[in-house]
Every structure is written in structure tokens, then in C-alpha cells.
Amino acid sequence: EVQLVQSGAEVKKPGESLKISCEISGNSLRKYWIAWLRQMPGKGLEWVGLIYPGDSDTRYSPSFQGQVSFSFDKSISTAYLQWRSLEASDTAMYFCARYDTAMAFDRWGQGTLVTVSS
Amino acid sequence: DIQMTQSPSTLSASVGDRVTITCRASQSINGWLAWYQQKPGKAPNLLIYKASSLESGVPSRFSGSGSGTEFTLTISSLQPDDFVTYFCQQYNSSPYTFGQGTKLEIK
């Protein structure tokens, strides 16, 4: 059974950098993408983008293009979401999820809460 | 971008009731629609994919239907655990977009 386990909550100041992780275990990722999604406090879900573990091909939502970046370390089956310079508006829960082209987001991590405050 | 409009935003019902949530897409999504359930403080959980396919392990009281631009999620007999929030999502084309959510409340 596949599991996605995310890194713990982070508290950062505006302008700081951050990298959060999502470790995938239990199953082959050969035909799946890994997605990142954002949920701001009390709000709905937004798709940030996708990364394909096989070759690190990435797709970004236009709303997030240039604001974040993805990477994947095959040796430890871990996906990363990174910011170079955080803003207060980045405060949110971030989820990773397995994306299947037929089944959408079928497995989810538990979420990482990112708080950006001076 | 494809806009997803979910209604109602809040639904009051009782245990045992049958309820329906509607999701409308701003253009045809060829049936590539998913429904998720989200409990407070937890990650969403996939209920339905491809508009009407029940995810493994999801109770059969949940069902999905629809085509083109209009889709529904029906819960045939509400259980206490069902009074949480539901989202629809299209994955026909990028950027993949979600409805704003429906919160199911106990009447």
C-alpha cells in the first residue's frame, strides 16, 4: 500500500527560503506523477503542479509558476517543494498527492503547515 | 482555466437523509471529474473518479453521476461520519481546478 509522508510544520519569516518534503513508500511510481496542492486557512484546494519521478519532468500551475519549484530524489523516493523567498501569503497547508491520469489524486500525504510571519 | 462551481456551499441534513451535491464546469470536461471528502485537519480522501467510479474502500452509499458540464455526488443515507466537507475537481485539462466546497451540517 502506497504511503506519502510529509515533513513537519514550519514557521518562517518573510524573505526566508524553505524546502518541504514528501517521502513515498510502498509501491512503484513508474506510472504516477506527484502533485503539490495548497489549502489556505479556511479555504478550498488549489493545484500547485506536478513532478514525474521518472525523469523529474515538471508542470506548474500558471498561478504558481516562478513562485515555487519542485524536485525529486529517486534514491530516497522523496519529492520536494521549495521557495526561494517566502511571503506572508504563502501561509497555508501544503499537501502532496499521487496523481493518476485516470483516477486523479488518489493518495495523499498528511499535509505540511507553513506559517510565514514576521 | 476551467471554472468549477459547486452548490450548495452549505447543506443541512439529518442522519439517514439522501443528499445531492452539484458541480458545474465552465466547459466540457469529458467526464474527468473527481469527488473528495475532507475531514477537519485532515487531507482530502478520494471518493469518486471519472465522474461515477467508486474508489476502492469507499462505502457504496456514495455515488457519482453526470456528463458534459454537470455532475452530482449523492449520499444515499447519511451517516454521522459524513458531516464534513466535499470538493469536486476536474482533471480534464491543466490547470486542474476544484470547486469551492460543500460543507454538510447536521440539521
Side-chain angles (χ1 to χ4, degrees), chain B residues 19-33:
Chain B
V19 297
T20 297
I21 299 168
T22 298
C23 188
R24 288 188 176 87
S26 59
Q27 63 191 73
S28 175
I29 56 173
N30 300 303
W32 297 110
L33 183 101

Side-chain angles (χ1 to χ4, degrees), chain A residues 12-55:
Chain A
K12 292 288 189 179
K13 290 182 167 40
E16 291 186 331
S17 63
L18 176 64
K19 193 174 188 178
I20 63 174
S21 67
C22 171
E23 181 180 357
I24 302 103
S25 63
N27 210 341
S28 169
L29 288 171
R30 281 187 196 162
K31 61 169 185 170
Y32 299 109
W33 293 71
I34 297 298
W36 288 98
L37 302 104
R38 181 175 82 174
Q39 189 167 37
M40 298 177 80
K43 301 297 184 184
L45 293 155
E46 302 169 272
W47 174 68
V48 179
L50 297 170
I51 184 164
Y52 189 70
D55 60 6

